[in-house]
Amino acid sequence: MITIGLFVYFTIKAGSNFTDTLSLSSAAGYAGPYAAIGVGEVLLLVLAEIDLSAGQVFLFCPWVMYWLHGDGVPLLAAILIALLVVSAVGAINGLITVLLNVPSFVTTLATNFILYGLVLVESNQLQGSPIPLSSGSGFWSKVMGTGTWSEIIWVAAITIVMTVVFKRTRFGVRIIATGGNLVGAAEAGVPIRRVKIWAFVLCSFLSGLVGIVDSVKYGTLDPGNFGVDYILYAIGACVIGGTALTGGRGTLLGAFIGGILIGILQDGLTLIGVSTNVFFIYVGAVIIGAMAVNVQFDRLIARSRGT
Amino acid sequence: MSTDVPQPTNPVANGKPVLEARGLTKSFGALQVLRGIDLSLRPGEVLGLVGDNGAGKSTLVKILCGFHSQDGGEMLLEGKQVRFNSVEAARAHGIETVYQDLALIPQLTVYQNLFLGHELTMLGPLRFLNNRQMRKLAREYLDEINVHVPSVDAEAERLSGGQRQAIAVARAVRAANKILLLDEPLAAMGARESRLIINLVKDLAASGRVSIIVIDHNYAHLFELCDRVNVMQGGKITIDRPVHETSIEELTELMVSSYRRQLEQVREGGA
C-alpha cells in the first residue's frame, strides 16, 4: 500500500520523468539487491535467526566466478562453483550457529568481515573487470543481467518460487514451527538444527545468485563495496514488508515489495530533485511507519476475529 | 470411605503390565532424587502420580520418556527390558509425552499442529504439503475424539488454553501407540477447560488405545481421571491404591502420617 502510494506520489511530482523506462529501471536497479537479499533473509528472521553476511555474500559470489573464469574455468562451471562456495558459506554459518550455539548475529557478522577481507586480499584492491557476459548482447547476457529488467525478473521469480516453498512444502511449515516454538517443534519431531542450517544455505545461495546477475549488469566489481550497506537495507525491506524479528512470522512477498519501495524512494527522491542526503531520513521514517502500521493491522485483525 | 468416588473408568485395566519399573534410581550430583521406584502400568489403565514438589515425579516421567536415563534399576516394556537414551528412542517404542502447554506452535493452524513432525506430503522428494488431506483427517480425528475447535484452520494462538492442551494431547495420542505421559495437563486451566481434558483422557483410556500416566497436584482431578493412584514421597512410591479402594481423605491422611513418621525418624536419627 505504501509502495503504491509512493509510486503515485513520485509519478505526479516528477511527471513522466519517473515513469519512463530508464527511470523505472533504475529504481528496479536499486531495488533488486535489497529485495533479493531480503527474500532469503525472511527465512532466517522467521526462524528467529539473522544472516548479516548475506550482503557480503551477494558481493563475494561474483568475485569467485570472476577469479575462476580468469583462471580458465569455463563460465558455466565458474558460476556453479561460485554458487557452491557461497552455499558452503551458508552451511558454515548454520553449523557454527547450531552446533556451537553461537548467536547467528555474531556468527554472520564474523563471516561478513572474513568475506570482505578475502575480497580485498585476493583482488589486491583492484577492480574486477570485465565481468563475463556483461559486454555481450546475446541471449545469455540479457538473461544474466544486461537486459533492462533481467535482475528484477530474477528476483521476482525467486520470490514466487520461495513463496511456494515457504507456504506449500514441509520445509516451510518446519521453518515456521522452529521459529515459532523451538522446544515445541523439537518435541514434535521437527529436526530443528537441519532446518536452520538449510535456511542459512538457501539465504546465501539466493544472495549469491542475484549477486552474479548484479555483477553482469554493472560489468565491474568494486572490492571496496561493503556488504553491510546492502544487508541493512535488505532487513529494512523485510521489516517494511511485515516480517517481525521475533520469529514465527514473515512474508517473502512483503520483503520483495519492501525492497521495491526502498528502490522507488531512492530513485524518486533523486528525480524530484530532493538531495540524496534526505533519503536516509525517509528510509528510517518508512521503516518505523511500516512497523507501526503492521502492528495496528495485526491488532485490527485480532479484534475482528473476536480475540 | 465415601460412596461418590467414581468407579474405574476402564474395566480392561488389568492383566500383564505394559510398562514396569523395578528399583529405578537416579541422582543429580550428591542429590539422590529417585531411591528405588517400583511402578507398573497395566494396559488401558490411567495411573495417577501425586507427591510434593521435589518428590521426584518429574524426574521419573523424564526417565520413562527417555529424557534422562536411570542410574540403576530396570524398565520393562511389555515384559521386555528396555533402556532409552533419547526421547526419540522412547517415541519409537510408542511412548509419547505432553509437557505443560509447551507443545503447540502458536503461528501454525490446528491441523498443521496436529500433523507437525508427521506431515502428509506429495510429489515425492519435493515434499509438497497435502493440505486438503490433512485438513480432512484432522477434522475427522478431532470429531472422533470429541475435541471441538472453531476450525482446523484456526491458528493455535487464537485457541483457549484448554483447546490448545486438547490439541497437544490429541497429537500425542495419534503418535503414541502404547503409552501416554501427561505432565500436569490441567495446570493453569479453568474448570470448564479442565473438564474438556479430563473427558478427553477418559475417552482415550476407555477406547483401550493407550495406557496413560498422569501427574497432577489436584486430588479431585486425579480421582476422577484415574483408575489407580501412586503417591511419591522422597524418591519412592509409598502408596499404591486403586481409586475405588481409597478416598481423598484417606490419601491425605496416609501422606500426612507418612511424613510424620519420616519426621520422627529424622528426629531419632539426630538424637
Side-chain angles (χ1 to χ4, degrees), chain A residues 168 170 181 187 249 305, chain B residues 91 102 104 129 155 157:
Chain A
R168 306 289 302 184
R170 190 177 74 172
N181 179 354
E187 282 170 6
R249 276 187 205 288
R305 290 193 200 177
Chain B
R91 197 171 273 160
L102 289 174
L104 296 197
L129 296 168
E155 284 181 9
E157 210 167 47

Side-chain angles (χ1 to χ4, degrees), chain A residues 47 147 214 306:
Chain A
L47 280 168
D214 199 62

